[in-house]
């Protein structure tokens, strides 16, 4: 497990470090405080020698890779949209003497562009502008493991094909890292992941998970359709029910448990863990997470805005406070501060019921 995660110049965060990470970690704070950025930092560090993940993060936020240079996809990764200053991410993994360190540099594509408005002979005349700017055409990732030599990889846009070429490199300290976005659910990926669990006879954990939302669920199958594999659920009707038409909470919980069960000895990152889930289901979810994270040796980092979610988690782990970490991120202008709640502070939160979200 990771015991700390830190970053410098990632998105809106100039510098931030969280120490004392545990098996399950809850990150709270106001909107735009940097909670999701912490998860993204962990995701990038987990895939430090696979440079395509930097592009994946933009796509998880709804951006798309077009036919031109993906500057708009990569530039928001850099603090204040400034590609001249590299991103730094580091994390300490339990049992290692030093921290792992990742640096992300922007590669420049020198370009000139002309913009014409109107025409030379039209009313008001014409306007021509020639500008030179730093256009990001690639990223260079420098990864230094806790023990070993630096590994350098690059993601470079090929304007002829419109693709990003991002060959990855293997590493000895690889930790599987899965990111569950708050904005969308990958039904095709869920089907592929669950199919893999079926082959390994690990589907029971997923079934017990979705029964938190719908106790009628008896069986989950993956069927092949024209569009690819699809998940179907047996809820006692005359035919199987497509996962795609189930409620948002059911789909969200299915994705969460599938990714957790698939992330053995790895890390699961969940943005807005309560999305789509009724608060009444959360105590059962925390009990399930408590069991499955131990069973599969998975570390979880999750964000939330919901005070009831935090309270429920702390109560569920009241007798095992060393298994849960609670952290609040405060932001003042461009400065970030992390407040860590130790076991005494966690107990005070549950007893006194005071606000921790910032």
């Amino acid at each position: 497990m990771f015991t700390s995660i830190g970053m410098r110049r990632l998105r809106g965060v100039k510098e931030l470090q969280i120490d004392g990470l545990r098996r399950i970690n809850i990150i709270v704070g106001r909107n735009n405080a940097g909670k999701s950025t912490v998860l993204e930092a962990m995701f990038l560090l987990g895939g430090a020698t696979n440079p395509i993940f930097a592009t994946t993060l933009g796509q998880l936020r709804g951006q798309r890779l077009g036919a031109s240079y993906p500057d708009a996809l990569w530039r928001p990764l850099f603090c204040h949209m400034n590609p001249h200053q590299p991103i730094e991410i580091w994390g300490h993994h339990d049992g290692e003497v030093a921290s792992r360190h990742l640096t992300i540099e922007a590669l420049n594509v020198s370009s000139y562009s002309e913009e014409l408005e109107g025409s030379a002979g039209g009313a008001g005349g014409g306007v021509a502008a020639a500008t030179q700017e730093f256009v990001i055409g690639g990223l260079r990732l420098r990864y230094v493991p806790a023990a070993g030599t630096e590994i350098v990889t690059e993601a470079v846009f090929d304007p002829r094909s419109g693709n990003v070429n991002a060959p990855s490199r293997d590493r000895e300290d690889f930790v599987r890292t899965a990111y569950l976005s708050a904005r969308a659910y990958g039904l095709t990926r869920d089907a592929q992941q669950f199919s893999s669990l079926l082959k390994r006879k690990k589907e029971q954990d997923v079934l017990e998970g979705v029964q938190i939302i719908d106790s009628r669920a008896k069986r989950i199958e993956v069927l092949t359709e024209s569009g690819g594999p699809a998940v179907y659920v047996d809820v006692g009707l005359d035919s199987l029910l497509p996962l795609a038409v189930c409620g948002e909470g059911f789909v969200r919980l299915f994705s969460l448990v599938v990714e957790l069960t698939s992330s053995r000895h790895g890390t699961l990152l969940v943005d807005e863990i309560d999305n789509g889930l009724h608060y009444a289901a959360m105590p059962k979810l925390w009990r399930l997470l408590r069991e499955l994270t131990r069973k599969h040796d998975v570390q979880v980092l999750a964000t939330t805005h919901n005070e009831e979610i935090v309270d429920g988690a702390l109560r569920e782990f009241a007798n095992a406070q060393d298994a849960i970490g609670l952290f609040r991120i405060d932001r003042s202008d461009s400065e970030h501060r992390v407040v860590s709640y130790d076991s005494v502070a966690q107990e005070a939160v549950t007893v006194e019921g005071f606000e921790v979200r910032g």
Side-chain angles (χ1 to χ4, degrees), residues 149-160:
T149 58
E150 180 183 70
I151 301 173
V152 180
T153 55
E154 292 184 353
V156 178
F157 179 72
D158 181 0
R160 292 166 297 183

Side-chain angles (χ1 to χ4, degrees), residues 30-163:
R30 295 177 181 269
N31 288 333
N32 206 32
K35 300 185 300 298
S36 298
T37 303
V38 172
L39 303 189
E40 292 180 328
M42 184 69 83
F43 182 71
L44 289 170
L45 189 61
T49 57
N50 190 340
I52 197 61
F53 289 154
T55 303
T56 301
L57 284 180
Q59 294 170 329
L60 286 174
R61 286 180 176 245
Q63 294 179 286
R64 292 292 176 263
L65 180 63
S68 60
Y69 284 101
D71 183 281
L73 200 67
W74 289 333
R75 187 176 291 263
L77 289 171
F78 295 86
C79 192
H80 301 314
M81 308 280 280
N82 181 6
H84 296 283
Q85 295 184 315
I87 298 165
E88 295 181 59
I89 303 171
W90 61 90
H92 187 269
H93 199 269
D94 191 26
E96 296 180 343
V97 176
S99 294
R100 306 174 179 193
H101 195 279
L102 171 66
T103 302
I104 303 177
E105 305 167 353
L107 302 179
N108 183 26
V109 176
S110 297
S111 66
Y112 290 85
S113 63
E114 284 191 355
E115 297 181 4
L116 301 178
E117 298 182 9
S119 61
V127 178
T131 62
Q132 183 176 16
E133 59 181 343
F134 191 120
V135 176
I136 304 176
L139 300 174
R140 178 176 292 126
L141 280 64
R142 301 181 182 273
Y143 175 65
V144 181
T149 58
E150 180 183 70
I151 301 173
V152 180
T153 55
E154 292 184 353
V156 178
F157 179 72
D158 181 0
R160 292 166 297 183
S161 65
N163 297 323

Side-chain angles (χ1 to χ4, degrees), residues 240-311:
L240 298 178
L241 189 67
L243 178 65
V245 303
C246 293
E248 181 182 0
F250 192 101
V251 176
R252 175 69 166 181
L253 191 55
F254 180 86
S255 296
L256 196 160
V257 180
V258 165
E259 291 296 343
L260 193 155
T261 308
S262 301
S263 299
R264 190 168 182 81
H265 307 305
T267 303
L268 176 62
L269 312 169
V270 188
D271 202 10
E272 298 183 22
I273 191 169
D274 51 300
N275 254 18
L277 299 175
H278 192 271
Y279 73 91
M282 291 307 297
K284 294 181 180 179
L285 175 60
W286 289 124
R287 286 194 288 274
L288 181 69
L289 291 180
R290 182 174 178 176
E291 174 188 345
L292 294 183
T293 52
R294 287 198 306 253
K295 180 179 179 180
H296 299 292
D297 186 25
V298 177
Q299 184 176 27
V300 173
L301 277 72
T303 69
T304 184
H305 295 281
N306 195 317
E307 182 181 1
E308 292 175 326
I309 301 305
V310 176
D311 182 71

